Amino acid sequence: MKLSGPLRIMAAAFASVVFGGTVHAETYDSHRDLTEESAFWRYLNEDVQVEVRTKMVIAEDALRGTICGDRHTTFPIQLRIQEPVVMADGDQHPTAGRWTERFLVNRCKINTVYNAIFEASEEGVEYKPVAPGTTQQGLDLVLDLRPIISRKAEIENCPERVLVQTRAGLPSDYEPQVADGTYETWTIWGCDRLKDLFLLFTRRGEGSVSVTVENQRFWVE
């Protein structure tokens, strides 16, 4: 699936630098630096990258024992460049930079939003699956919290727990302890049960964040 929709709307002029008059290198500081003619845009659209996203989703689904043999179709939602991306015409991949992607995946009549972090170097591009869902927290923080919050889920006699959904806010029927607090609801799967954890995020000095599991409850079976 080619990148289009939201990313097409956000595209604008890109910055380029010419070395030696022949090699055309492009540097992207923001998604606004992309056009459909730019090397990085073409890279994001390659079948190889689509396959990377698909493999990520298959691996995530497998964590909770879900197997889908149907075609996986991906739709871009959001691209954020955290560190300038550098790529020259003719390169197989970016040679520097860091970016995050949020994309929707449709498979087996299921739609799920996924998030991932990508880091480029001369050797290649590494990717890190973060967590499904629409969390508004920084993806590096979410990646660090994922195993911690999963262990916090109180699911008796269940050693294996997986974070399967994140979303900003709280259910309408839940009364938070902090009226103006920043809350998210993260859903943990364990032993065929789903449990919502209600998290309170509090910003501290120097950019730090404290996270409190205020409450949790099982989905109604």
Side-chain angles (χ1 to χ4, degrees), residues 32-69:
R32 297 182 181 86
D33 294 334
L34 291 175
T35 69
E36 294 182 14
E37 291 75 30
S38 58
F40 186 40
W41 178 283
R42 295 195 302 270
Y43 169 80
L44 292 170
N45 277 282
E46 289 178 353
D47 291 341
V48 173
Q49 282 303 100
V50 174
E51 184 65 20
V52 164
R53 299 181 190 103
T54 299
K55 287 181 178 179
M56 235 186 297
V57 173
I58 292 174
E60 287 287 317
D61 286 349
L63 292 175
R64 57 180 294 186
T66 300
I67 298 176
C68 173

Side-chain angles (χ1 to χ4, degrees), residues 132-144:
T134 55
T135 176
Q136 297 302 297
Q137 304 303 312
L139 294 190
D140 289 291
L141 174 62
V142 176
L143 188 62
D144 291 339

Side-chain angles (χ1 to χ4, degrees), residues 72-87:
H72 289 56
T73 306
T74 63
F75 304 90
I77 297 176
Q78 185 180 72
L79 171 72
R80 287 181 175 172
I81 296 178
Q82 296 181 316
E83 298 175 8
V85 175
V86 178
M87 188 172 181

Side-chain angles (χ1 to χ4, degrees), residues 175-189:
E175 186 69 29
Q177 296 177 12
V178 179
D180 58 349
T182 299
Y183 284 92
E184 293 204 358
T185 302
W186 291 16
T187 303
I188 308 298
W189 174 92

Side-chain angles (χ1 to χ4, degrees), residues 16-217:
S16 64
V17 181
V18 178
F19 296 95
T22 56
V23 179
H24 190 97
E26 301 165 357
T27 300
Y28 312 92
D29 296 307
S30 165
H31 63 265
R32 297 182 181 86
D33 294 334
L34 291 175
T35 69
E36 294 182 14
E37 291 75 30
S38 58
F40 186 40
W41 178 283
R42 295 195 302 270
Y43 169 80
L44 292 170
N45 277 282
E46 289 178 353
D47 291 341
V48 173
Q49 282 303 100
V50 174
E51 184 65 20
V52 164
R53 299 181 190 103
T54 299
K55 287 181 178 179
M56 235 186 297
V57 173
I58 292 174
E60 287 287 317
D61 286 349
L63 292 175
R64 57 180 294 186
T66 300
I67 298 176
C68 173
D70 289 356
R71 178 182 178 183
H72 289 56
T73 306
T74 63
F75 304 90
I77 297 176
Q78 185 180 72
L79 171 72
R80 287 181 175 172
I81 296 178
Q82 296 181 316
E83 298 175 8
V85 175
V86 178
M87 188 172 181
D89 286 333
D91 284 348
Q92 293 185 341
H93 58 77
T95 56
R98 192 174 195 267
W99 70 93
T100 64
E101 294 183 20
R102 173 168 288 177
F103 53 96
L104 177 69
V105 179
N106 176 270
R107 75 276 187 230
C108 293
K109 299 181 180 180
I110 302 172
N111 288 314
T112 307
V113 174
Y114 284 87
N115 303 278
I117 298 172
F118 294 81
E119 296 186 34
S121 67
E122 295 284 351
E123 290 72 31
V125 177
E126 295 184 358
Y127 64 87
K128 301 175 183 177
V130 178
T134 55
T135 176
Q136 297 302 297
Q137 304 303 312
L139 294 190
D140 289 291
L141 174 62
V142 176
L143 188 62
D144 291 339
L145 286 175
R146 180 172 186 167
I148 299 171
I149 300 302
S150 296
R151 290 193 297 269
K152 292 287 186 180
E154 298 171 357
I155 306 176
E156 190 174 359
N157 299 321
C158 183
E160 296 183 2
R161 301 157 196 188
V162 180
L163 176 62
V164 296
Q165 185 63 269
T166 62
R167 55 194 179 278
L170 295 165
S172 58
D173 62 344
Y174 178 77
E175 186 69 29
Q177 296 177 12
V178 179
D180 58 349
T182 299
Y183 284 92
E184 293 204 358
T185 302
W186 291 16
T187 303
I188 308 298
W189 174 92
C191 300
D192 292 325
R193 303 189 72 184
L194 292 169
K195 194 166 199 179
D196 283 339
L197 274 65
F198 307 134
L199 309 182
L200 172 63
F201 293 82
T202 305
R203 304 291 168 181
R204 304 298 186 186
E206 300 181 356
S208 64
V209 180
S210 73
V211 183
T212 304
V213 180
E214 186 174 282
N215 211 333
Q216 50 185 292
R217 68 185 182 192

